[in-house]
Amino acid sequence: MSLPLIALFIAAFAFGTTEFVIAGVLPQVADGLGVTIPVAGYLVSGYAIGIALGGPLLTFVTNNVQRRTLLLGLIAVFTVGQVACALAPDFAAMLVLRMVIAVVHGTFFGITMVVAVGLVPPDRRGFAVALILSGLTVSNVVGVPLGAAIGNMFGWRATFWAMSLLGLLASLAIVLWLPRTRGAGAPRPPLAREVGVLGRQQVWTSLFLMLMLMIGQYVPFTYIAPMLHEVTGLDTNVVPWVLLLNGVGSTVGVFLGGRLADWKLMPSMIVMMALQAVTLVVLYLASPYPWPMVATVFVWGTLNFAIGTPIQTRILSWTADAPGLASSLIPSGFNIGIALAAVLGSAMLNSGYGYRSLPLVGTVALLVAALVALQSLVWEKRSGSRPPAAIEAALPAQ
């Protein structure tokens, strides 16, 4: 594994940790800022909105900035933002700061994906995408529990001071290890071309597949803790361990998906979507039984991220000649899907459906996704279209 990819992984880990760690210290933050926990929850939804809306906008206005320079600038804003969060005097300031960091987050992941696939040969793109995504999954398994532990021991502000140190580490890694290459250092293509590539059917269908995947994943996952407690009958102290197992499965799935994307991208993605639809039916059937439920949660987490890696690899492959704006829509699509899933799940529960019914919504979403992916592949074969010229492997600047 190359040092430039490790540098990008560290930065992805930092952003992933700061996005999710707030959930681990939310009660302390609410108490410290003098608001209720439901009000403090806007720090989570506000972050998602910042990624979804602000990420593409910042990508738009920084279109002429070299990628390496932009990455360093984004990490700098991240680091200063963590310090500001640690010093935030009230809830309003904290919310604004979190949304600013979220905007940076959305642009960062889009640009990082492009730089990562530019550092490897075309047949290793899936691995590069998987490595960056693993920064998110590993942050859930390692960074979030560690950040929560720091908050519990030293107060929630210490968690954000720790995040600022992580930002400094990421900055140092990028300065030392990410070379001034064509992939990382060159100006990006004209904006008109960035917008134009979004019209390719492989791109917009992939964004739709991402939306379906997020609905299939987060309609049940948003309410997985009460589901495990009330339907499966697990003790509340056991639930975090089951979620940890799901996170381990997600990390395994990221690299499995990367391997499959580099081997047979579309066939493997379609098969995994069908398997995930079946897994969600099993999740419904197994939910009253502890051991089968725990095993299914692991498989479910593995397939979720195994599917996500090929989807993102496909978007990057079909926008290789102008990837900036399209890549920024990847984190936007994820967060819009998460928000829609939470609303849909809440509406079902308010309509009288129980927690157990939620996986069945995911089954429908994944079956629709599999059919759309199959039709997209048929269109592609009939038209004889091919992806644009591959993003060149990074070469030393002349």
Side-chain angles (χ1 to χ4, degrees):
M1 189 185 304
S2 67
L3 290 177
L5 286 178
I6 293 175
L8 296 177
F9 167 82
I10 293 172
F13 175 81
F15 273 98
T17 300
T18 202
E19 177 180 8
F20 300 120
V21 76
I22 190 70
V25 293
L26 197 63
Q28 297 96 314
V29 171
D31 183 62
L33 297 177
V35 296
T36 64
I37 290 178
V39 171
Y42 287 116
L43 296 174
V44 177
S45 56
Y47 199 97
I49 292 170
I51 292 175
L53 302 181
L57 179 60
L58 182 59
T59 301
F60 177 86
V61 300
T62 57
N63 188 65
N64 293 323
V65 181
Q66 292 184 340
R67 291 187 180 117
R68 184 177 185 273
T69 302
L70 180 57
L71 286 176
L72 287 171
L74 296 173
I75 295 283
V77 174
F78 168 91
T79 305
V80 173
Q82 303 308 313
V83 173
C85 285
L87 299 172
D90 53 39
F91 175 77
M94 186 70 165
L95 180 60
V96 170
L97 289 168
R98 286 281 294 175
M99 292 188 73
V100 169
I101 295 169
V103 171
V104 170
H105 178 132
T107 302
F108 169 83
F109 268 95
I111 299 303
T112 297
M113 290 290 186
V114 177
V115 173
V117 298
L119 291 167
V120 298
D123 62 353
R124 295 281 286 168
R125 284 189 190 138
F127 170 78
V129 171
L131 185 65
I132 302 305
L133 282 179
S134 71
L136 292 177
T137 59
V138 174
S139 72
N140 269 303
V141 175
V142 178
V144 172
L146 184 59
I150 291 172
N152 290 332
M153 292 175 62
F154 304 107
W156 66 268
R157 294 184 187 273
T159 298
F160 290 96
W161 285 113
M163 292 298 96
S164 69
L165 295 177
L166 193 54
L168 289 174
L169 177 62
S171 298
L172 182 62
I174 289 177
V175 168
L176 295 178
W177 294 340
L178 188 65
R180 293 184 179 276
T181 63
R182 292 182 186 177
R188 308 215 294 274
L191 184 60
R193 193 193 305 173
E194 299 266 8
V195 174
V197 300
L198 300 179
R200 294 170 183 161
Q201 72 88 0
Q202 293 86 357
V203 179
W204 58 261
T205 53
S206 294
L207 291 171
F208 176 79
L209 296 178
M210 183 184 300
L211 189 64
M212 290 296 99
L213 177 64
M214 289 299 95
I215 290 175
Q217 178 179 353
Y218 277 94
V219 168
F221 189 77
T222 301
Y223 304 96
I224 189 64
M227 183 178 179
L228 289 170
H229 179 60
E230 296 184 21
V231 179
T232 311
L234 296 180
D235 187 90
T236 53
N237 294 323
V238 176
V239 170
W241 294 102
V242 179
L243 298 181
L244 177 63
L245 185 64
N246 181 267
V248 172
S250 299
T251 304
V252 172
V254 161
F255 289 102
L256 173 63
R259 278 295 188 93
L260 293 173
D262 288 334
W263 176 55
K264 296 286 186 182
L265 192 152
M266 287 301 289
S268 59
M269 184 167 68
I270 293 168
V271 169
M272 285 191 294
M273 286 175 174
L275 287 175
Q276 186 69 316
V278 173
T279 301
L280 285 160
V281 172
V282 174
L283 196 70
Y284 165 78
L285 296 174
S287 57
Y289 311 103
W291 287 111
M293 182 61 170
V294 170
T296 306
V297 165
F298 174 80
V299 175
W300 176 46
T302 302
L303 283 172
N304 279 329
F305 280 82
I307 296 168
T309 305
I311 291 176
Q312 295 182 70
T313 303
R314 190 174 193 234
I315 293 172
L316 292 169
S317 295
W318 281 93
T319 61
D321 52 339
L325 185 58
S327 64
S328 73
L329 292 176
I330 293 174
S332 292
F334 275 125
N335 283 275
I336 291 171
I338 291 170
L340 288 176
V343 171
L344 181 57
S346 177
M348 289 185 63
L349 294 175
N350 290 333
S351 297
Y353 294 95
Y355 293 117
R356 190 184 180 190
S357 67
L358 299 179
L360 297 180
V361 178
T363 298
V364 175
L366 267 296
L367 287 175
V368 170
L371 291 173
V372 170
L374 181 60
Q375 183 62 54
S376 176
L377 181 59
V378 170
W379 287 342
E380 184 180 316
K381 296 295 184 183
R382 286 178 178 173
S383 67
S385 56
R386 295 288 183 270
I391 297 176
E392 296 181 22
L395 298 173
Q398 300 299 319

